[in-house]
Amino acid sequence: MSNLTNNRLNITATAAQITAVKTALDTINTNLPFLIGLTIDERITLPAIDVNNKTFAEDAINAGLNNATLIPSYVSVANMQNDMTLFKQLDEIILLNKQLQEKLQDTQLLAGSEAYTSALALYKLFASASDAGVPGADAIYSQLKQRFAGQGGTGRPATNPS
């Protein structure tokens, strides 16, 4: 909670840091120009590879390599090898990306939570100031309470009985 008892984050990224990260992401896209996007239908209908399917595919590729005379000319085992190699290469990158994405989302969640929790605390303070007749507090409280309009109740935040 920002400026309260537990402020785990109190930092912003510099413009240079944001630019560097965007440049790094552009570099990834530039270095992997073959990346494609699928339609929702394609994502649903394409057969997916899992641990068992991967082993099967690897075994089939090896069998094709070792028994080339049994493979018709229209089947390219070399293309199958390329697909499997790319699958393995992307698997490693995807894991790293997922770890980064999790950290980004967790940090964003915490930053937003701290900001919102602190905003709620300020809202309660302005409500108390308004109740006490502090000059100017009514205008601030009226502006902030619009967030809770139509949610029932009195429009005043609950207070802890002590």
Side-chain angles (χ1 to χ4, degrees):
M1 290 174 254
S2 182
N3 298 323
L4 295 174
T5 59
N6 184 15
N7 185 22
R8 292 176 58 188
L9 289 173
N10 187 21
I11 192 166
T12 61
T14 65
Q17 287 171 316
I18 296 299
T19 299
V21 169
K22 288 179 177 180
T23 300
L25 292 171
D26 285 342
T27 300
I28 291 169
N29 279 313
T30 300
N31 282 298
L32 301 173
F34 51 82
L35 294 179
I36 57 133
L38 298 174
T39 66
I40 293 171
D41 267 355
E42 288 173 317
R43 285 189 198 111
I44 293 169
T45 58
L46 283 172
I49 198 166
D50 60 19
V51 174
N52 295 324
N53 296 357
K54 182 175 175 262
T55 301
F56 169 77
E58 290 169 335
D59 288 347
I61 291 168
N62 288 332
L65 289 171
N66 294 319
N67 299 283
T69 58
L70 299 176
I71 307 299
S73 62
Y74 57 85
V75 174
S76 172
V77 177
N79 287 353
M80 293 170 64
Q81 281 182 298
N82 286 343
D83 290 340
M84 185 56 69
T85 298
L86 181 60
F87 176 84
K88 291 175 184 177
Q89 292 168 332
L90 292 177
D91 200 35
E92 182 179 355
I93 294 170
I94 288 168
L95 177 60
L96 293 171
N97 186 59
K98 283 181 180 179
Q99 292 169 343
L100 175 61
Q101 183 172 348
E102 183 177 304
K103 286 180 179 180
L104 288 167
Q105 289 173 327
D106 288 351
T107 303
Q108 183 187 39
L109 175 63
L110 181 59
S113 177
E114 287 183 359
Y116 182 61
T117 301
S118 296
L120 289 172
L122 284 179
Y123 175 66
K124 290 177 184 180
L125 291 171
F126 288 123
S128 295
S130 176
D131 285 344
V134 175
D138 282 342
I140 297 168
Y141 174 68
S142 292
Q143 177 191 0
L144 294 176
K145 77 176 183 179
Q146 291 176 21
R147 159 63 180 90
F148 302 101
Q151 293 186 10
T154 63
R156 295 280 184 188
T159 55
N160 287 338
S162 307

